[in-house]
Amino acid sequence: MSQEAAQEQPVQPSGGAPKGLLQQMEELMAALTADLSQLDAELQSSTPSRPASHHDDTPA
């Protein structure tokens, strides 16, 4: 590997300083959590309440 490749920093579209990988992952996880929470709220409000069961009701 060349030294140039090892020294490259990711380019940020906002033009700000490059972020660390951990910070990027934390931001992505926060965004994902918010999206999943919103989706869950939408699903909860659009479906009638049912018992949380992952089993079939058919006898074995």
Side-chain angles (χ1 to χ4, degrees):
M1 178 180 353
S2 71
Q3 287 184 341
E4 282 182 345
Q7 293 175 355
E8 286 183 24
Q9 294 291 330
V11 177
Q12 298 297 318
S14 63
K19 296 178 184 176
L21 183 59
L22 180 59
Q23 184 177 354
Q24 290 179 350
M25 291 300 293
E26 287 174 348
E27 291 175 3
L28 288 170
M29 290 300 294
L32 178 60
T33 300
D35 288 346
L36 289 174
S37 295
Q38 181 180 357
L39 178 61
D40 184 48
E42 290 173 5
L43 289 173
Q44 294 291 333
S45 66
S46 68
T47 58
S49 59
R50 300 173 55 185
S53 174
H54 296 286
H55 304 287
D56 284 335
D57 292 333
T58 57

